[in-house]
Amino acid sequence: MQWLNDNAQAISAVASICTLFVWVFYAQLLYNGYVRQRRPRIIVNRGKGTGTDALCLISNMSSEAIYIQHLVAVLHTRDGLYELDVVEYQQQSGDDEEASYRTHQGPLASGDYLHIQSFGAIVEQLAHHWQLDEHVLKQQKPELEIRVIAIYGSEDMPVGASRRFALDLSADPLHQLTPLKVDTQRMNSRRDRKQVLQWAKDIEMHKAQ
């Protein structure tokens, strides 16, 4: 007791410092949880199948709505990259073969999803736009990348997501499309957002040509 009385001030100071560290620790946990909850989360996946007939699904798992600006399909081949914005496209309707204009540009609520054609239709659209030989694509076994460019909340810089699929058009229909990674790559960091912004600028430049 005498020792405690003699060192009361020092013990009180140490206890105050320990209490401060505890509060800082819990404050950091709360902040990290808040940032993680606010971080945009966009998922690219397959639906209604596993081959090229499967639908390309875009899901918004963020806590707020996102505004989809562009949906870019990129075909990685031995001869180079072939990009195409597939957010807007013509869809054949019925037996009369009349083309109806469709667009997926716009808001996507939290927890909601949309599908942007089948993967096979996206590949056909790329091949038609760039006049690619389908036989060459079967031999090369290229990769198909789906990029999402979106605006999240009131943030100025766009956010993005990307996922690649191995494409084997000569294989069995159920094994023609294989994800290269388990999850979608999130483009949320400042460096990633600059790259997403460059994607958007490249699209606008190509449209202006």
Side-chain angles (χ1 to χ4, degrees), residues 32-204:
N32 290 339
Y34 173 77
V35 171
R36 190 162 46 247
Q37 184 180 8
R38 289 280 303 169
R39 189 177 300 160
R41 177 75 163 133
I42 304 171
I43 298 177
V44 180
N45 207 349
R46 299 171 299 181
K48 291 187 177 180
T50 57
T52 53
D53 290 336
L55 298 177
C56 180
L57 301 179
I58 309 297
S59 304
N60 178 26
M61 305 307 295
S62 312
S63 59
E64 297 182 12
I66 61 173
Y67 184 89
I68 295 180
Q69 283 188 319
H70 302 284
L71 298 171
V72 185
V74 184
L75 199 61
H76 298 257
T77 69
R78 299 173 188 172
D79 300 326
L81 303 181
Y82 300 93
E83 302 180 9
L84 183 64
D85 187 7
V86 295
V87 73
E88 299 172 346
Y89 64 97
Q90 299 287 337
Q91 184 181 50
Q92 299 296 330
S93 58
D95 298 332
D96 52 2
E97 296 186 355
E98 291 184 0
S100 59
Y101 173 82
R102 294 196 61 183
T103 179
H104 292 300
Q105 189 178 61
L108 185 63
S110 174
D112 204 354
Y113 72 94
L114 58 85
H115 65 82
I116 53 167
Q117 316 175 64
S118 67
F119 285 94
I122 293 175
V123 173
E124 290 178 1
Q125 193 174 354
L126 274 163
H128 176 74
H129 179 80
W130 292 101
Q131 298 181 352
L132 303 176
D133 191 338
E134 294 184 2
H135 297 287
V136 175
L137 293 179
K138 288 182 179 180
Q139 296 174 356
Q140 289 192 3
K141 298 180 181 180
E143 295 178 2
L144 177 63
E145 180 184 3
I146 303 297
R147 298 173 179 174
V148 182
I149 303 175
I151 298 297
Y152 181 66
S154 59
E155 299 180 13
D156 297 329
M157 295 284 288
V159 298
S162 173
R163 194 174 190 187
R164 284 194 185 191
F165 300 85
L167 192 63
D168 188 355
L169 299 178
S170 62
D172 182 89
L174 296 178
H175 301 91
Q176 290 180 345
L177 191 75
T178 307
L180 295 181
K181 291 185 178 180
V182 177
D183 200 3
T184 304
Q185 178 185 1
R186 288 187 278 185
M187 313 286 289
N188 296 334
S189 68
R190 185 171 182 83
R191 181 179 179 180
D192 290 338
R193 292 188 180 193
K194 288 183 179 180
Q195 183 178 0
V196 174
L197 182 60
Q198 187 60 47
W199 289 349
K201 290 180 179 179
D202 292 342
I203 293 172
E204 296 301 331

